[in-house]
């Protein structure tokens, strides 16, 4: 499935597409295709209840008994950071929260960010390759091809 969120950005973006793919048994692939007439440091945010360990291309979140393994990739360098807590703080007490941010280090007119989240690390780490505005993601025995116009799963 795919969503177009341009309207949510109040004219700041000219493209904000997010195709999602669920691959059985437990892999979620998210592709953010972004564009703006003003250069921006595009970012992907993942909110968790415990800190991530590892790097953007190979991280884990462990909440016993489950483990989440993930990869966030882009053709441009991403800077990974996380912040503990809520901003602003909630008025009603809430559990732990970590805002994990994967952001472009340099402002660009177009952005392409691929996230692959694997529950319980059930399948091997994905391979993600880029060619211009296109991406190819190989995971869970499937190949996902991303272009500006289409996303296909084989």
């Amino acid at each position: 499935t795919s969503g177009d969120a341009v309207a949510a950005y109040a004219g700041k973006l000219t493209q904000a597409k997010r195709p999602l793919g669920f691959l059985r048994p437990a892999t979620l692939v998210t592709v953010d295709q972004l564009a703006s007439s003003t250069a921006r440091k595009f970012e992907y945010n993942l909110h968790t209840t415990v800190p991530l360990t590892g790097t953007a291309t190979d991280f884990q979140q462990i909440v016993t008994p489950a483990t989440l393994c993930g990869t966030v990739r882009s053709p441009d360098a991403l800077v990974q950071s996380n912040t503990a807590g809520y901003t602003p703080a909630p008025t009603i007490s809430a559990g732990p929260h970590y805002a994990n941010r994967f952001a472009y280090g340099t402002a660009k007119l177009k952005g392409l960010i691929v996230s692959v989240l694997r529950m319980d690390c059930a399948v091997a780490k994905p391979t993600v390759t880029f060619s211009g505005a296109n991406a190819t993601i190989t995971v869970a025995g499937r190949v996902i091809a991303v272009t500006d116009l289409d996303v296909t799963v084989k």
Side-chain angles (χ1 to χ4, degrees):
T1 188
S2 182
D4 186 341
V6 165
Y9 291 93
K12 293 181 180 178
L13 298 183
T14 57
Q15 180 184 36
K17 292 192 313 191
R18 176 175 267 186
L20 299 172
F22 178 75
L23 305 175
R24 295 177 190 252
T27 300
L28 178 65
V29 178
T30 305
V31 179
D32 285 346
Q33 297 168 292
L34 308 158
S36 173
S37 56
T38 302
R40 301 185 184 282
K41 291 184 179 182
F42 297 107
E43 63 185 59
Y44 171 83
N45 293 288
L46 179 63
H47 298 273
T48 59
T49 58
V50 298
L52 299 178
T53 59
T55 66
T57 59
D58 189 20
F59 62 83
Q60 286 189 343
Q61 176 199 17
I62 300 170
V63 181
T64 305
T67 302
L68 172 74
C69 288
T71 298
V72 178
R73 296 278 317 273
S74 175
D76 295 286
L78 295 174
V79 177
Q80 180 183 353
S81 63
N82 70 34
T83 305
Y86 294 91
T87 304
T91 55
I92 299 172
S93 180
H97 175 260
Y98 293 85
N100 302 282
R101 182 176 178 232
F102 303 84
Y104 274 44
T106 304
K108 301 280 184 173
L109 294 175
K110 294 191 91 162
L112 177 60
I113 302 173
V114 173
S115 165
V116 181
L117 304 177
R118 299 169 290 126
M119 194 63 199
D120 291 329
C121 309
V123 298
K125 182 178 167 185
T127 59
V128 182
T129 57
F130 298 98
S131 176
N134 302 332
T136 302
I137 304 122
T138 305
V139 64
R142 307 295 290 272
V143 177
I144 301 168
V146 178
T147 70
D148 239 2
L149 302 174
D150 201 10
V151 176
T152 58
V153 180
K154 294 181 182 182

